[in-house]
């Protein structure tokens, strides 16, 4: 992959040419008209202001599916780095983190400093600035719990402002920012507890692996180490030598069903046993997409055409197994899976990544 961080410029004549596949963890995606890298918040604002529409903000490329035709405009790579404490007291610290800071470097630093709140989000690829976009979450933690504000450049108003967390519309794998190109995230503020211990462990699989009960706390470093181990076992930590990690992580979100749809699912799946489910607010029930996919006949490792396959370690991850697959191959497999799940259970699956210049 070209080293975009080495070229923190927005000058048109220094733009980096080339296909976008090299900038995505899926390793698919056609060319862009221009690719420019921004090494600071000011450069990011300048690059977005200077570019003719359309503009795509791209950071780690770990949650995007870019069409084979590429992007017919300017791609701005987020390469700003840095983290500083902006407030602290006896029990907490608030850190402001530049959008391009690699997420797992931040998590590692907070664990090392004895700051609790991000430890269960260890090993997630990508940038810090992208975490508010889909309210990144894993193992019972999500960034909405610790974000206090998001500094943005508002492309409609042409201004910089901090959007308080309460106005970010955080939801399960969503926020006001997802699928909205109005805001460019410049930095994110997190309020973290000063504590050598994690928050109460909420996720049963993680508690089991740590040898504790759900609700107990563990040393931050233990939480991080075990999360990294669990994730690696599922191909959910990027590893250049492991084709199962050539993905966007989970391709589908867990569907959130109203009562009637959930009961219809229970009827249709009666002979299979109840799907793993998590009750939510207003009678809504979140059900396991991996279970639905598996029971609809798609086992781990299931191959599609053109070199794509379901990960051999995780039913929810669709992978560019060969390394030479096209986005169209991946989307064909995704469509086959979601059609079959719908035909079998009456449940619609929704993609988790942002689809750019392509559709499911
Ligand atoms: C192996 C693997 C495991 C994963 N596991 C998880 C997981 O456990 N939980 C989870 O929630 N996600 C997971 N993901 C998805 C992904 O890592 C996260 O969503 C991550 O936050 C994306 O960061 P990124 O920098 O790569 O974003 P990109 O893919 O570059 O961008 C994603 C979207 O955000 C927008 N965007 C990015 N940066 C900015 C910015 N500064 N301002 C405005 N818009 C911006 C882009 O335009 C795009 O729409 C996983 C992905 C992989 C490949």
């Amino acid at each position: 992959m070209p080293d975009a961080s080495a070229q923190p410029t927005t000058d048109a004549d220094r733009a980096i040419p080339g296909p976008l596949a090299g900038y995505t963890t899926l390793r698919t995606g056609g060319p862009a008209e221009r690719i420019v890298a921004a090494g600071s918040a000011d450069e990011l604002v300048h690059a977005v202001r200077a570019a003719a529409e359309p503009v795509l903000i791209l950071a780690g490329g770990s949650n995007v599916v870019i069409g084979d035709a590429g992007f017919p405009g300017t791609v701005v790579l987020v390469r700003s780095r840095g983290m500083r404490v902006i407030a602290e007291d006896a029990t907490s610290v608030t850190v402001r983190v530049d959008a391009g800071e690699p997420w797992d470097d931040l998590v590692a630093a907070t664990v090392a400093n004895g700051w609790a709140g991000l430890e269960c989000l260890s090993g997630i690829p990508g940038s810090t600035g992208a975490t508010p976009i889909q309210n990144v979450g894993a193992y019972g933690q999500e960034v909405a719990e610790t974000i206090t504000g998001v500094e943005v450049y508002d492309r409609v108003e042409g201004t910089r402002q901090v959007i308080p967390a309460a106005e970010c519309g955080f939801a399960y794998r969503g926020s006001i920012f997802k699928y909205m190109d109005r805001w460019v995230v410049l930095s994110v503020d997190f309020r973290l507890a000063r504590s050598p211990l994690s928050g109460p462990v909420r996720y049963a699989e993680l508690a089991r692996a740590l040898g504790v009960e759900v609700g107990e706390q563990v040393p931050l470093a233990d939480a991080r180490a075990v999360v990294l181990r669990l994730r690696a076992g599922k191909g959910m930590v990027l590893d250049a030598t492991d084709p199962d990690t050539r993905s966007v992580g989970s391709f589908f979100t867990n569907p959130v069903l109203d009562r009637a749809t959930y009961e219809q699912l229970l009827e249709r799946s009666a002979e299979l046993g109840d799907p793993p489910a998590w009750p939510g607010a207003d009678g809504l029930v979140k059900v396991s997409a991996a279970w639905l996919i598996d029971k609809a006949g798609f086992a781990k490792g299931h191959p599609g055409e053109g070199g794509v396959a379901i990960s051999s370690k995780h039913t929810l991850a669709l992978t560019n197994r060969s390394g030479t697959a096209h986005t169209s191959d991946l989307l064909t497999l995704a469509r086959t899976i979601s059609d079959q799940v719908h035909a079998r259970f009456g449940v619609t699956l929704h993609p988790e990544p942002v689809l750019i210049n392509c559709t499911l």
Side-chain angles (χ1 to χ4, degrees):
M1 174 167 151
D3 181 12
S5 59
Q7 303 181 47
T9 177
T10 58
D11 291 351
D13 54 354
R14 291 166 68 194
I16 310 156
L20 292 168
Y23 296 94
T24 67
T25 54
L26 204 45
R27 294 287 183 260
T28 69
E33 247 166 48
R34 293 175 69 231
I35 305 176
V36 296
S40 68
D42 287 346
E43 286 189 8
L44 202 43
V45 172
H46 173 75
V48 170
R49 272 195 180 134
E53 295 289 341
V55 174
L56 170 65
I57 309 294
L58 192 63
S62 64
N63 210 32
V64 287
V65 179
I66 300 176
D68 296 316
F71 185 74
T74 300
V75 173
V76 178
L77 300 173
V78 183
R79 297 294 183 254
S80 49
R81 301 284 304 260
M83 173 185 98
R84 58 216 167 273
V85 173
I86 56 165
E88 56 186 322
D89 57 28
T91 60
S92 73
V93 291
T94 302
V95 286
R96 177 160 295 170
V97 188
D98 282 304
E101 185 69 21
W103 173 251
D104 197 50
D105 289 3
L106 171 65
V107 178
T110 62
V111 166
N113 286 336
W115 301 339
L118 306 180
E119 59 281 355
C120 294
L121 303 173
S122 294
I124 297 178
S127 66
T128 301
T131 60
I133 309 288
Q134 73 156 4
N135 181 20
V136 155
Y139 293 97
Q141 225 169 41
E142 53 186 27
V143 291
E145 296 165 37
T146 44
I147 289 179
T148 56
V150 179
E151 188 199 2
V152 296
Y153 171 65
D154 182 335
R155 297 176 64 194
V156 173
E157 301 291 333
T159 55
R160 280 167 84 146
Q161 54 178 282
V162 174
I163 303 184
E167 292 168 27
C168 290
F170 289 127
Y172 166 60
R173 293 301 87 78
S175 73
I176 57 167
F177 308 113
K178 196 159 178 181
Y179 277 112
M180 283 288 283
D181 55 10
R182 171 170 178 179
W183 295 285
V184 181
V185 175
L186 303 176
S187 67
V188 187
D189 294 349
F190 299 87
R191 186 165 186 264
L192 305 169
R194 287 184 191 278
S195 166
L197 297 180
S198 68
V201 174
R202 299 191 191 122
Y203 203 76
E205 181 194 15
L206 177 59
R208 269 195 307 277
L210 282 159
V212 299
E213 297 294 321
V214 168
E216 285 185 47
Q217 294 172 279
V218 297
L220 290 176
D222 291 3
R224 174 168 167 79
V226 172
V227 165
L228 285 173
R229 175 162 60 75
L230 289 174
R231 293 185 66 93
K234 298 175 187 173
M236 285 288 158
V237 178
L238 289 185
D239 175 351
T241 65
D242 181 356
D244 274 330
T245 72
R246 221 176 282 129
S247 75
V248 286
S250 299
F251 191 89
F252 297 106
T253 53
N254 290 319
V256 178
L257 308 180
D258 59 33
R259 225 344 110 178
T261 314
Y262 179 57
E263 273 160 20
Q264 179 200 53
L265 167 63
L266 292 184
E267 274 171 34
R268 291 203 191 186
S269 63
E271 77 282 9
L272 300 169
D274 287 351
W278 303 271
D282 303 327
L284 298 174
V285 185
K286 186 159 77 180
V287 295
S288 164
W291 187 93
L292 295 169
I293 292 169
D294 185 65
K295 301 298 180 197
F298 300 95
K300 289 175 187 148
H302 178 97
E305 299 290 320
V308 298
I310 294 178
S311 160
S312 69
K313 304 184 184 75
H314 194 327
T315 319
L316 264 189
L318 307 189
T319 65
N320 174 1
R321 179 129 206 118
S322 64
T324 56
H326 294 106
T327 295
S328 58
D329 301 318
L330 190 94
L331 293 176
T332 300
L333 176 61
R335 227 170 276 128
T336 306
I337 292 169
S338 63
D339 287 354
Q340 185 67 21
V341 165
H342 192 266
R344 176 69 182 81
F345 298 115
V347 174
T348 303
L349 293 179
H350 297 285
E352 182 176 307
V354 176
L355 272 47
I356 293 160
N357 216 9
C358 58
T359 51
L360 189 57

